[in-house]
Amino acid sequence: MEPLKSISRRSFVGGTALSALAGSGGIAMARSLAGVVRPAPVIDGLSFLPDNLDEIRQAGLTAMICDVSKVEEVRDADGTPRYQRNFGVNDASLDAAISRIEDSDQVFVAKRGSDIGSKPGCAAFLQFQSCETIGEDLRRIAYFHSKGLRVLQLTHHNDNKFAGGAIEPEQSGLTELGRAGIVEMNRVGLLPDVSHGSAATIWDAAQASQSPVVYSHGACRAIVDHPRCITDEGIRAIADKGGVIGIFMMSFWLTTDSRPNIDHLIAHIRHAVNVGGIDAVGISNDFPMAGHENLRKLNNDNIEGVKEYLGWWQAMRKLGIPGYDVDPQHVVIPELNNLSRMMTIRNALLDDGFTTTEVSKIMGGNWHKLLVEVLG
């Protein structure tokens, strides 16, 4: 485990001394001045199963939305890359993930929000990052739910049979099949995720769903004007529905400055809170548990590491998609590209003036409340 950053003076003096993240079940403890210890959930709104499952404990997670889908790259006739999650591959991927989890004492498959903290280990709410796995057969929604899937993202970047993606030359919203799919998700108890959807998809899904929807991982378009980022209208639509917006670690969608730092992440959290309210914002990773592996190997050299994204970025530019006119200069915030990110973020929120109660909500309380409401 990488060493945790030292606790700042503000986070010690400002009301509670926060212990290191870790321990059985990944529950962080907040100790009041009166000496009363109470659990504070630490929840990641989008992560993955690491090769070394002990990293989940080291990261200090109480729970996570865990993407277990598998991507297949396909190319259009002109060579444009697209990344799809099709049925057969992902049916097997779900089975493999569950098998790994069942053999571990670090993580368990969670089927209800109330499973969080019910036993040692991190509660994993399994997710697919696209409805391509469903195709046109809505019976697959109940099929995957019966296996243990609990979160289903409508689309990933591109249009599919359910919804319009964010990264398309022409934007579209929820399809009729997508509307029927959300009805079925509501019926069986799957949490709809609008990340990677177009602005219209986000709005349509929030209106169509009878239960809250989430934007599990992304950033704010008011700060970085890119279609992958969520608009203020989208933030309000999700917040008004009782959902959560997860702010993630991908730095080229957090700032256009040449050098990313934690203040850029905090700015997105602050903006989402200002627009949607303190109960509507959480933290997400969207990198491997220990951070972006290639950047770690490069000692977080963003200038070198960003090169692996430039081919895709420039292909989107050729398609005329807004937001890709200037090449990115970085991929990660170096101080967050490690297993200690959650403690570092917690301290930064306190240093920025959030109260301990507000920080507890952002670090996991809001995800916990939502998962209990939607999944029981």
Side-chain angles (χ1 to χ4, degrees):
M1 179 178 180
E2 299 187 29
L4 297 175
K5 293 186 181 293
S6 60
I7 297 175
S8 68
R9 180 180 182 277
R10 179 184 183 87
S11 60
F12 185 85
V13 176
T16 60
L18 300 168
S19 74
L21 299 176
S24 179
I27 297 177
M29 295 294 182
R31 184 179 298 276
S32 73
L33 295 178
V36 177
V37 177
R38 61 187 183 277
V42 178
I43 301 178
D44 190 332
L46 193 284
S47 196
F48 310 90
L49 287 178
D51 292 337
N52 176 8
L53 293 180
D54 189 58
E55 289 180 356
I56 299 173
R57 178 191 59 79
Q58 295 176 45
L61 298 181
T62 311
M64 62 175 170
I65 294 176
C66 182
D67 176 23
V68 296
S69 60
K70 189 172 182 179
V71 178
E72 298 173 282
E73 181 182 290
V74 299
R75 290 185 176 265
D76 295 345
D78 63 359
T80 300
R82 296 181 183 272
Y83 304 95
Q84 297 182 352
R85 291 161 168 83
N86 297 314
F87 174 79
V89 169
N90 283 284
D91 190 27
S93 180
L94 178 61
D95 289 343
I98 291 172
S99 179
R100 284 193 68 206
I101 290 170
E102 289 177 343
D103 289 340
S104 170
D105 60 0
Q106 303 297 331
V107 59
F108 63 92
V109 175
K111 297 183 178 180
R112 301 172 66 87
S114 55
D115 288 343
I116 296 172
S118 64
K119 58 183 178 180
C122 173
F125 296 88
L126 305 185
Q127 182 209 44
F128 286 158
Q129 275 202 73
S130 182
C131 281
E132 289 149 0
T133 52
I134 307 301
E136 297 185 17
D137 188 353
L138 296 183
R139 294 174 299 177
R140 291 178 179 174
I141 292 175
Y143 168 76
F144 284 126
H145 180 272
S146 71
K147 282 192 163 189
L149 197 75
R150 286 299 180 269
V151 186
L152 185 54
Q153 191 170 294
L154 297 176
T155 185
H156 189 278
H157 282 329
N158 301 119
D159 296 350
N160 63 18
K161 295 180 184 298
F162 270 62
I167 311 302
E168 291 283 3
E170 296 184 10
Q171 299 282 287
S172 60
L174 205 60
T175 67
E176 288 306 309
L177 180 66
R179 293 180 186 278
I182 285 181
V183 170
E184 181 66 357
M185 290 181 214
N186 290 164
R187 185 187 74 81
V188 303
L190 273 177
L191 176 62
D193 185 354
V194 298
S195 302
H196 291 270
S198 67
T201 289
I202 292 170
W203 173 263
D204 290 347
Q207 304 310 307
S209 181
Q210 295 300 305
S211 68
V213 302
V214 296
Y215 179 81
S216 67
H217 59 294
C220 302
R221 196 177 302 189
I223 296 176
V224 173
D225 188 10
H226 193 285
R228 173 62 181 90
C229 300
I230 189 170
T231 64
D232 286 0
E233 181 182 51
I235 293 172
R236 282 189 286 268
I238 292 171
D240 288 347
K241 201 76 178 188
V244 173
I245 297 94
I247 303 301
F248 68 0
M249 305 291 123
M250 300 196 80
S251 66
F252 48 67
W253 283 317
L254 294 174
T255 181
T256 56
D257 290 356
S258 60
R259 292 175 179 261
N261 59 59
I262 195 169
D263 290 340
H264 295 122
L265 174 76
I266 301 301
H268 283 263
I269 294 171
R270 176 72 71 180
H271 180 82
V273 167
N274 288 343
V275 174
I278 190 61
D279 296 321
V281 183
I283 302 296
S284 298
N285 182 8
D286 202 25
F287 284 140
M289 189 70 63
H292 191 300
E293 185 175 358
N294 288 348
L295 268 293
R296 285 169 57 84
K297 290 177 180 177
L298 293 168
N299 196 28
N300 293 321
D301 181 351
N302 271 308
I303 293 174
E304 184 64 28
V306 75
K307 292 177 181 178
E308 69 179 270
Y309 289 85
L310 296 183
W312 172 72
W313 198 276
Q314 292 162 6
M316 298 302 100
R317 182 187 303 158
K318 289 179 180 178
L319 292 176
I321 298 172
Y324 290 91
D325 50 321
V326 177
D327 287 347
Q329 300 180 65
H330 44 76
V331 181
V332 301
I333 296 173
E335 61 199 298
L336 299 179
N337 199 40
N338 53 61
L339 285 168
S340 303
R341 75 178 57 79
M342 296 302 263
M343 175 60 83
T344 305
I345 293 169
R346 181 192 294 272
N347 289 338
L349 289 169
L350 289 164
D351 287 341
D352 197 64
F354 286 94
T355 69
T356 54
T357 298
E358 291 170 337
V359 170
S360 292
K361 289 184 175 186
I362 294 168
M363 294 304 301
N366 290 336
W367 285 121
H368 191 179
K369 180 180 177 182
L370 169 80
L371 290 164
V372 169
E373 179 178 351
V374 176
L375 304 180

